Amino acid sequence: MKKRALLLLALTPFLLTQCGDGSKGGDSSSSNSLTIGFAQAGAESAWRTAETESITREAEQRGVTLKFSDAQGKQENQIKAVRGFIAQGVDAIILAPIVETGWEPVLKEAQRAEIPVVLVDRGVQVSDDGLYATLIASDFVAEGQMAADWLAKKTGGKANIIELQGTPGAAPAIDRKKGFEQGIAAHPEMKIIASQSGDFRRSQGKEVMEALVKAHPNLTAVYAHNDDMALGAIQALEAAGKKPGTDVLVVSIDGVKDAFIAMKDGQLNCTVECNPLLGPNAFDAVEKAVAGETLPKKTVVQDRLFEASQAAAELPNRQY
Ligand code: GZL
């Protein structure tokens, strides 16, 4: 009994560094290094998993102790996580906000505690942008516009489109819709005949498309706000006897590996890359913010568009 107690005592510092409060990284030799809280939105898509891995990997490489929280798609969980990080006195917080609104109170709490917040991948709507240090994200309006331009070119400006939206209230869902609508505005014969949320999830993309393909058998194109929903929709279209990639053109956003495989297989026509490998940029920003430097309010991550014809050559290069 005594021996066990002694062993536990000896192990305690190790256990606290490695596992305490959901800690993912850390290293006992870097006790002087930063402790960062990462409030992740969830694990709804391959993109999100790649983002989590990038941030976790970067923390390990820099000897940062990372406290990780997965909000499982619920803003209330994410707010709780941020409050928890503030209570623990972390050096900074990385936040991937699920939705745009509702952040003001907790960001003010972080500000009062003098804990900088670095936003990654999604923006927030607040009355004072001094409530966060910086935002590192793609230009979602431009992504939607790129998808629309591609579809307009491919169809000669004529399409019956079903849109699968991301999580309601999320910056990429709002802006990808806006960008796409702006892109098709000049083409009166490009119409969105139905538009529904699939919450950025493959299973919901499939479910939603199962119903929509029955209600709108005249569809000629699908625009999905992310690849996972497009991949789910492809399954539903096939089950309904359609040929995705041929008689229904499918365009989506993210550029994950499975999308390249689907393009190679001729089921997906186009994906607009949205780079999730934000770890290096996020920690550069964290280090500067902790050092008291003023950062630009937004760093835009550059995206590219890929068509099916490029898929086979590009597939081996994909990192996520
Ligand atoms: C993009 C991001 C989106 C991805 C989705 O920055 O917030 O969330 O496009 C993801 O795949 O779930």
Side-chain angles (χ1 to χ4, degrees), residues 44-45 47-48 121-122 140 172 176 200 225-226 254 274:
E44 72 283 358
S45 63
W47 187 100
R48 180 111 356 241
D121 102 63
R122 295 184 183 179
F140 303 130
R176 286 172 185 169
F200 284 129
H225 290 189
N226 82 343
D254 273 359
C274 176

Side-chain angles (χ1 to χ4, degrees), residues 176-189:
R176 286 172 185 169
K177 179 167 189 51
K178 188 172 158 194
F180 189 81
E181 284 174 352
Q182 283 172 3
I184 64 168
H187 306 278
E189 288 186 274

